[in-house]
Amino acid sequence: MARGPEMVGAVEIDEEPVVSDTFVVAARIPMGRAAFEQWLETPVPGPEVIENRGAMYDRWFWDGKAPEWGQAEEGMTPREYLADCFGEDAGGLTYVLRYREGALEAYLMHFGFCESNIYTALVMLAAAGRSSSAVVPSAVLFWAETSGAMFAADSDGWLATLSVGVDGARFTADIDLTATIASLRTAEASYFELLDRLAEEEESAGADGDSNFAAIARDPRYVDAAVLVET
C-alpha cells in the first residue's frame, strides 16, 4: 500500500500533495426496522466498541498514521448526535442516512477531514453492527475522493475498512469489497442526486440568501424520518 506522512486536508505521496476535500464514511448493515430504531435510541459507546481501534489505517493509504479516537463523541444517542447534522447549520456535511429494504444505509460525506464527525460515525456504525440480521459481517468504508464516489474494490486508496457484526467490530485490510460496493451503489446514487439538488438550490437562492438547503437535506429520500424525531 502507498505510504505518506501525516496530513490534514490533503494526502501527501513522497512530499507531492494530492488534495482531496471530500471524506466519506459509508455502510449498509442488514437489520430489522425495530433494531434500526433501537439503534437510534441507544447511547453511543466509546471507541472501545472497536476491538483493534489502533489499527484503523493499517495497510491502507494512510498506513502509519495514528488515529485520534479522543475526537469521537460518546454518550449521546445517534438521533441526538445526528440532529445537528440535518439542521440549518450543517455546513460541510452531506448525509444519506436511512432504513431501506431491510438495512441501515449510510453515505456520510464531509468537506474536509472532520475528525469528530468521522470517528463518531465509525463508532456509531460499529455499535449498529451488533444489531445486524446477517451472519456475515458488514464492511464500513472510509475514504477521501474529491467527488465522493467510491473506488474500485481492488483500489489501495481506501483509508480504512471496518468489519462490523454481531460478534463485534474490528479494522481489517484483508477484505473483498466487491459485494459491499455493489450494495452501496443505490446510496451513492442518492448522494449524487442530493448534491445536484443542493447545487441547483444554490444557483436559484434569492438575493437575500434564503434557501431550502435544510429542507432538501431532510427529504425522506435521504434521511429516515425516525432520525429526525425530536427527543
Side-chain angles (χ1 to χ4, degrees), residues 93-110:
L93 307 179
T94 304
Y95 279 8
V96 173
L97 184 68
R98 61 198 180 187
Y99 184 81
R100 189 184 69 84
E101 296 183 357
L104 183 168
E105 201 166 66
Y107 207 95
L108 314 177
M109 187 279 285
H110 311 80

Side-chain angles (χ1 to χ4, degrees), residues 1-22:
M1 300 299 174
R3 289 175 178 266
E6 189 165 325
M7 50 68 71
V8 174
V11 175
E12 291 187 358
I13 308 174
D14 297 328
E15 299 183 352
E16 290 295 327
V18 179
V19 178
S20 177
D21 57 6
T22 302

